[in-house]
Amino acid sequence: MRIEPVLLAIVLASITAPAAAAEKYPSRPIRLIAPFPPGGGTDILSRVIAVPATETLGQTVVVDNRPGAGGAIGADITAHAEPNGYTLILVSSSYAASAAYRKPTYDPVDGIDPIILIGTTGLLMITHPSVTAKSIPELIAYAKANPGKLNYASVGTGSVSHLAHEAFRLMTGVNIVHVPFKGGGPALQGVIGNEVQIGAVSIVPTIPHVRAGRLRAIGVTTPKRSPLLPDVGSIGEAVPGFEVVHWYGIWAPKGTPKSIITRWNQIVAKLLSTEAMKKSTQAEGLNAAGGPPSEFHQRLRADIEKWRKVVAAANIK
């Protein structure tokens, strides 16, 4: 008996469909890309989330550090990965800054699948203890008196710390020189070692160095002072209108099944709601966020538009 091709296709589909449906997620380890080196905020949070996520999912969540280009290398790897839930990325606000600066090959807002906004914090502007300026007004005065003599560390060209410094430069008229590093950890070590004199890095990895006296904190980029450093002024107090909110979030390649997006959103949201995590994030200066993927989507769009204006105004190439 001859079976028509169309009928054969239907029969085969009926056989293979149940097998495919029976495959549960996850059935193998999951890669969580941290687009900066060990020691920075994205790396720290990736490892904090990977442990409970591994326990919940029953598969190992492996943190894969892929530093470079202000986080753009890791983001590019993720955006072009198979949208099957086995490659995710934990990004910081440097993702939005880098997208505004580099113009990636994919749509950085609508060409990805946002999962969750983890939390918000600020960047902490710090100096090497040998720098005489102990406040933002003193730093501005010193920089104007010594044009081109102060070098500032960023976590990479096109990163949020790079564009935050450029916004600061535009708004104050100071002449400071950019020295890019490959992440928050290396940038902090650059200031600690006096390779560069100033920098602005996430509060999360910076506070321990300030408390140990290796760095001096002179300003936070958020509109209000950090409760962890109440004596350190907001940069906006000295430079009206200056504001940079630093954040962390997770996204997946475009086309990732909605069920997987929802599951990861629920896993991270549950983690953020635990008392242990609340205490940990508060101690590190991170305000836990959460919420649906749409909130993270809106944050991305607003930040990328903001940084595109800075890139244009500063004529950054």
Side-chain angles (χ1 to χ4, degrees), residues 25-26 28-34 60-64 66 73-90 112-113 115 250-257 260-261 264:
Y25 172 86
R28 53 190 169 89
I30 299 162
R31 177 170 62 157
L32 179 60
I33 289 180
T60 304
V61 177
V62 180
V63 176
D64 183 6
R66 292 300 185 98
I73 290 176
D76 191 70
I77 291 171
T78 309
H80 294 98
E82 287 293 323
N84 54 14
Y86 290 97
T87 300
L88 310 174
I89 187 169
L90 192 152
I112 64 169
D113 278 335
I115 294 176
I250 299 176
W251 58 261
K254 185 69 174 179
T256 299
I260 294 176
I261 298 295
W264 267 96

Side-chain angles (χ1 to χ4, degrees), residues 44-70:
I44 292 170
L45 280 173
S46 293
R47 296 179 191 283
V48 167
I49 289 172
V51 174
T54 293
E55 295 173 354
T56 300
L57 292 166
Q59 288 287 346
T60 304
V61 177
V62 180
V63 176
D64 183 6
N65 293 89
R66 292 300 185 98

Side-chain angles (χ1 to χ4, degrees), residues 1-13:
M1 181 177 67
R2 181 175 181 272
I3 299 178
E4 293 295 328
V6 173
L7 180 59
L8 179 60
I10 294 172
V11 172
L12 290 174

Side-chain angles (χ1 to χ4, degrees), residues 168-249:
F168 179 79
R169 184 181 64 79
L170 288 170
M171 296 176 74
T172 60
V174 298
N175 180 358
I176 52 179
V177 181
H178 179 216
V179 179
F181 287 79
K182 288 188 176 181
L188 288 172
Q189 290 303 319
V191 184
I192 291 170
N194 205 20
E195 295 177 55
V196 287
Q197 294 74 49
I198 60 178
V201 179
S202 170
I203 287 177
V204 176
T206 307
I207 278 185
H209 297 295
V210 172
R211 289 174 175 164
R214 292 186 287 268
L215 296 171
R216 177 185 294 128
I218 62 170
V220 293
T221 63
T222 46
K224 296 182 180 179
R225 297 187 179 198
S226 168
L228 298 179
L229 298 166
D231 295 331
V232 178
S234 164
I235 295 175
E237 293 173 18
V239 186
F242 183 91
E243 175 185 338
V244 177
V245 175
H246 188 46
W247 49 257
Y248 297 93

